[in-house]
Amino acid sequence: MNPKIAMPVLRQLPIDTERPLRQRLRQFRAPVVYELVEPFMFAGRVGDRWAHLWLPAGFRTDLASTPRLTWLCGGRPDGLLLIPGLFHDFYYRHGRVLARCAVAYEPGRWEVPIGDGTRAWGDKLFRDLAQEIGGLRLPAYAAWAALRAFGGIAWRANEQYRRAYRATNTYQLEGEYAD
């Protein structure tokens, strides 16, 4: 584990307290949504190559939606799984992650989308980043196995965003988080 990894700057979005009482009570089980305040870059392994992975400011996420019980085993979404979770959430939303390249494939374009658009590729990216950041293989593989078993729900829920990205080549940063 590299102790000098720069952490992303996130802010928690405010909770709407002007709703009727019944809707406010449902907020206790609603996801907490965070927004990336500034662009975030992380140099990491993607498959067998190194890349400067990049996330744009304004990207909203609920971090890794891990059950509270897994927090006892170190599976907190705001711990070692924070950075892998951010890139994984972006990948699930768009079917690609962004890489910054010194030599762009297109003139004037520094962000190059990478990934093959499959759920398996995104889960493997999460596993590889979790192993690299945490320095331990077992927790990374345990988190990866949980993703493979239960991540299909989130993958299907984000299909509309991936379809919109393929059609327009623009990123939907905000997303919708139901309560």
Side-chain angles (χ1 to χ4, degrees), residues 21-41:
L21 178 62
R22 179 178 224 153
Q23 289 179 344
R24 281 188 280 161
L25 289 175
R26 278 193 273 152
Q27 288 181 167
F28 283 106
R29 49 175 224 263
V32 177
V33 179
Y34 296 88
E35 182 177 73
L36 198 58
V37 174
E38 55 192 39
F40 177 68
M41 189 178 302

Side-chain angles (χ1 to χ4, degrees), residues 13 25 57 72 99-100 116 153 170:
L13 296 181
L25 289 175
L72 298 173
R100 285 262 166 133
D116 66 4
I153 297 166
T170 58

Side-chain angles (χ1 to χ4, degrees), residues 3-178:
K4 296 184 182 192
I5 293 175
M7 296 302 287
V9 179
L10 299 168
R11 76 176 180 99
Q12 182 179 340
L13 296 181
I15 297 171
D16 182 10
T17 57
E18 298 298 319
R19 295 178 173 182
L21 178 62
R22 179 178 224 153
Q23 289 179 344
R24 281 188 280 161
L25 289 175
R26 278 193 273 152
Q27 288 181 167
F28 283 106
R29 49 175 224 263
V32 177
V33 179
Y34 296 88
E35 182 177 73
L36 198 58
V37 174
E38 55 192 39
F40 177 68
M41 189 178 302
F42 178 76
R45 262 185 121 45
V46 178
D48 58 349
R49 300 184 341 202
W50 282 92
H52 290 274
L53 300 175
W54 180 79
L55 290 171
F59 173 59
R60 292 185 180 177
T61 177
D62 61 352
L63 302 178
S65 304
T66 56
R68 301 289 191 261
L69 185 59
T70 61
W71 291 19
L72 298 173
C73 305
R76 290 185 55 98
D78 58 352
L80 291 175
L81 299 179
L82 175 65
I83 294 172
L86 286 173
F87 286 105
H88 185 262
D89 283 1
F90 192 88
Y91 183 86
Y92 263 41
R93 176 87 45 83
H94 304 291
R96 301 283 185 268
V97 288
L98 298 173
R100 285 262 166 133
C101 298
V103 178
Y105 293 112
E106 297 176 26
R109 183 169 177 195
W110 293 94
E111 302 101 29
V112 179
I114 57 174
D116 66 4
T118 64
R119 183 177 152 228
W121 193 94
D123 293 349
K124 184 179 180 308
L125 172 72
F126 178 87
R127 182 194 70 202
D128 293 348
L129 292 177
Q131 183 176 338
E132 184 176 328
I133 291 169
L136 299 171
R137 181 173 280 184
L138 184 60
Y141 274 83
W144 172 78
L147 270 175
R148 294 306 300 156
F150 304 108
I153 297 166
W155 179 258
R156 286 186 296 278
N158 282 291
E159 175 59 31
Q160 64 181 339
Y161 300 115
R162 289 190 305 277
R163 200 174 309 126
Y165 168 72
R166 287 189 301 265
T168 64
N169 221 21
T170 58
Y171 302 104
Q172 198 330 326
L173 300 179
E174 293 182 3
E176 294 178 16
Y177 296 91

